[in-house]
Structure formats: structure tokens, C-alpha cells
Amino acid sequence: MSEGPHRLGIDLGGTKIEGVVLAPDGSELARRRVPTERERGYDHVVGRVVELVSALRPHAPGARRIGIGTPGSLSARDGTLKNSNTTCLNGRPLHADLERALGLEIVMENDANCFALAEVHAGAARGARLAFGVILGTGVGGGIVVDGRVWTGPQHVAGECGHHRISDDGPPCYCGQRGCVETFLSGPALERAYVAAGGSASDAQTIAARAAAGESSAVLVLDRYLDRFGRALANLVNILDPDVIVLGGGLSNLDALYTRGVAAAARYVFNDELRTRVVRNALGDSAGVLGAAWLARG
Ligand SMILES: [Zn+2]
């Protein structure tokens, strides 16, 4: 993959904005980060992105477009952002304003799509024709990459696996439905389930360690979690049959996902075996900014 000019990518997060320049062969030439300072408002955040791009452009000769990854969802209607945790960006014409301020073409995607794209080009899903990236963190999101490119769809919701329902009477979700995957498989959902089962407030790793030590409420809660993880993954496999499912987010560090979780998926999938590889991400926190850079390819 050595075609094209240098790639410049920006990961616009709620607390920091990070930028990277990749050489045509994908190697990293420069990386920089600045605080977002979102409390200072929309125009300030746009200005921060412009500053960062200006600092990185000398490292990216010939770059004519910039990839930007950010949390939230992009409206297919008008390109505005919604559901961003940097709330001052919501409903604002960020894409158009950045193109005007920078005089460059901007390609924008949400952070889950950038994650999947980075893992395909430089991480654990390298070489996969069809890859599904699933983020298990504060929320549950995902992205689909086909032949090295993000697949978005007419609604721009392709891969939003956090909001398919796996239970009619599950917990209410902020999206207005009940029993969405996110209400069971996010970090906060696991922690709530553990407290409801009589455990003390703990993070996912602690709950997993207690389950391994045989604590009954942790065992119960983790068993249920892995079963639902299996259902959710089996649904993805039955619909898309990806070559690889790559997991990201804090909960992707739970070892049991790759053993008992995958075994549960194999039980629910509409086939007598599960050949799809289910792998842990390889790029960690860098996937967002690297994926943004891969967006920028010609
Ligand atoms: Zn939902």
C-alpha cells in the first residue's frame, strides 16, 4: 500500500485533539496533540484543529485532503454532527467550516469507523476483505470496512451494532428503545449489573478477576455478559459474515471474550462452526488518529 501522497489524520476528541502524518508507505512521520478546550466553545475548537493541521502540514507535502475522526454520528442529510460528547460541535457545520478554514478537502468519519479502518490497514485485522470493528467501552459502537474502505450506507449508520436489540424487556436505552446491545455490553452496563447482583462498585477487570476467583455474583454477571456478547456477535456474523471481528475499547481487554465469549457466539451462529476470527485490537488508543489518516487516502 504505497500509492498516493502523505496522509494527514486528526482525531478530534473531547479532551485532546491528536494529529498524525503517515508516509505513502504507511509509516508514521509526525504526531502531535493539543488539548481540545471544548469549554471555550465551537469556534475555539475549530481554531485548535486549524492550528494542529498547520503544525503538521510541513511534514505532509502534497496532501490535498485531511481525514478527521470524532465521536458522535454524522448526519447523512447535511453532514452535521450529533451525539458528540464535545457538545459544542453538535448541530454545527463542522465539515464545511473546517474545509473553509483549511482550504483542503475534509473526509470525516466517526471514531468507531476510524478504529475499524486503522485495524484493517495497520493492526489486528490487516488484510481482511470484510472486517467488523466493535468497540466495547463507555458505549458500544462499530464500523465496517470492505476492501480497505469504510462502508457507511445511506443512513450513515452501518456498523452501529450497539443499538440492535437482543431483549424486548431489557434496560431502557438513550436511543429510545429497550434491550439494545449497549445496555448489556457497555462497561457501565456490566458494572451496574454487578452491583444489582450484590457486588460492590467495580470496573470490568475487577469483576472478571473476582469471577475467576469464584465469587458467585461476579460469576453470574460475567456468564450473562459473555452469553449476550455471543448473541450480539452471532447476529453480526449471520448478517455480514465478516472475515474478522476486531474488538476495541476498555472491555476488549477481557480475556474471557476470546474464549468463552467466542464459544457463545459459535453456539448462536447459524452454522455448525464459527470461522470468523475474533481478535483483540493491536493499535490501542492510536487507532482513532491512524484511522483518520487512512481516511485521507485518495
Ligand atoms: Zn439503543
Side-chain angles (χ1 to χ4, degrees), residues 162-165 171-183:
H163 298 278
H164 79 256
R165 297 171 64 171
C173 182
Y174 78 88
C175 75
Q177 311 244 36
R178 296 188 85 90
C180 289
V181 165
E182 179 166 301
T183 69

Side-chain angles (χ1 to χ4, degrees), residues 97-181:
D97 286 346
L98 282 173
E99 283 198 334
R100 192 163 39 242
L102 291 165
L104 289 164
E105 186 188 341
I106 302 284
V107 186
M108 248 169 100
E109 275 303 335
N110 72 42
D111 52 350
N113 286 343
C114 290
F115 160 74
L117 190 61
E119 291 293 336
V120 164
H121 283 286
R126 195 183 276 230
R129 283 204 62 197
L130 176 47
F132 208 123
V134 176
I135 295 184
L136 302 169
T138 312
V140 175
I144 298 168
V145 174
V146 183
D147 289 334
R149 290 178 186 273
V150 173
W151 185 272
T152 54
Q155 277 76 226
H156 215 124
V157 295
E160 289 288 359
C161 56
H163 298 278
H164 79 256
R165 297 171 64 171
I166 51 174
S167 166
D168 283 343
D169 54 1
C173 182
Y174 78 88
C175 75
Q177 311 244 36
R178 296 188 85 90
C180 289
V181 165

Side-chain angles (χ1 to χ4, degrees), residues 63-77:
R64 292 178 306 279
R65 65 174 78 180
I66 291 177
I68 297 190
T70 191
S73 38
L74 288 162
S75 165
R77 200 178 307 121

Side-chain angles (χ1 to χ4, degrees), residues 18 33 57 127 132 144 157 166 189 209 226 234 249-250 255 257 273 296:
E18 189 167 22
R33 61 166 66 175
R57 274 195 82 182
F132 208 123
I144 298 168
V157 295
I166 51 174
L226 294 171
D255 294 329
L257 293 177
E273 62 173 346

